[in-house]
């Protein structure tokens, strides 16, 4: 059950629907279901959950999960850049609002030092015509108290 749905207009005039979920659901598969049933370009699903990787730590990490539904009118052969652009946008945001210097490893891993702080993945479905039905860009950002404490406004 969604806890809050907000609609915003982007600077370009498109409507964005943002759904914040409190049930710690991973939004990627949920958003794909929305896409298969007529969801629209610009739909965003956000959730958070406490990460438990089995390691004993003084503080547990929180993972912020954000998924964006796109319905691009481009040839699928050009669709490989979605993960790269997502990782670049995230690294730029972290660099701008923190003292950290993130770097990108592989296509969608964002690192600070040797620690992976985020992962960007994409999933897509094609129509029989060979065009995109939808693309979901999925971001998982690990947040620790020390990370949040170093963020600027």
């Amino acid at each position: 059950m969604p806890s809050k749905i907000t609609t915003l207009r982007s600077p370009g005039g498109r409507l964005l629907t943002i759904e914040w979920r409190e049930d710690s659901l991973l939004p990627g598969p949920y958003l794909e279901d929305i896409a298969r049933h007529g969801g629209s370009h610009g739909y965003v699903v956000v959730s958070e959950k406490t990460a438990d990787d089995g390691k004993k730590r003084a503080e547990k990490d929180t993972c912020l999960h954000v998924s964006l539904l796109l319905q691009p009118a481009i040839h699928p052969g050009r669709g490989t850049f979605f993960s790269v652009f997502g990782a670049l946008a995230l690294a730029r945001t972290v660099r701008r609002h923190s003292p950290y210097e993130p770097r990108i490893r592989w296509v969608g891993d964002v690192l600070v030092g040797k620690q992976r702080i985020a992962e960007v993945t994409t999933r897509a479905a094609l129509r029989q015509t060979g065009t995109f039905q939808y693309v979901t860009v999925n971001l998982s950002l690990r947040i620790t108290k020390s990370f949040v404490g170093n963020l600027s406004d």
Side-chain angles (χ1 to χ4, degrees):
M1 186 76 117
S3 65
K4 185 175 182 182
I5 295 179
T6 304
T7 302
L8 303 172
R9 189 168 298 281
S10 74
R14 288 188 178 246
L15 287 178
L16 303 174
T17 302
I18 302 170
E19 180 177 342
W20 178 268
R21 298 196 54 105
E22 292 185 353
D23 56 8
S24 74
L25 161 96
L26 287 175
Y30 173 73
L31 189 59
E32 288 177 43
D33 191 50
I34 289 172
R36 283 190 294 274
H37 293 94
S40 62
H41 181 88
Y43 200 100
V44 178
V45 180
V46 181
S47 70
E48 67 177 280
K49 67 186 262 185
T50 302
D52 188 3
D53 56 9
K55 297 179 182 177
K56 293 188 178 192
R57 298 185 175 151
E59 64 182 56
K60 290 284 185 186
D61 294 347
T62 296
C63 285
L64 178 68
H65 300 283
V66 180
S67 291
L68 168 65
L69 173 61
L70 302 174
Q71 293 167 326
I74 62 170
H75 186 275
R78 299 185 62 192
T80 57
F81 64 83
F82 290 113
S83 290
V84 174
F85 283 170
L88 285 170
L90 179 63
R92 184 176 181 187
T93 301
V94 170
R95 185 173 292 118
R96 176 181 261 169
H97 297 286
S98 77
Y100 302 115
E101 286 295 325
R103 61 188 177 84
I104 298 171
R105 177 183 68 182
W106 301 108
V107 175
D109 290 343
V110 179
L111 306 170
V112 170
K114 293 182 179 182
Q115 180 72 34
R116 182 172 73 176
I117 63 163
E119 176 181 22
V120 180
T121 61
T122 56
R123 293 188 47 116
L126 300 177
R127 295 182 183 94
Q128 288 183 345
T129 59
T131 59
F132 281 117
Q133 178 183 351
Y134 66 84
V135 174
T136 59
V137 179
N138 308 293
L139 165 88
S140 295
L141 175 65
R142 265 189 124 85
I143 303 172
T144 63
K145 288 180 184 176
S146 60
F147 180 81
V148 172
N150 285 311
L151 295 177
S152 66
D153 291 337

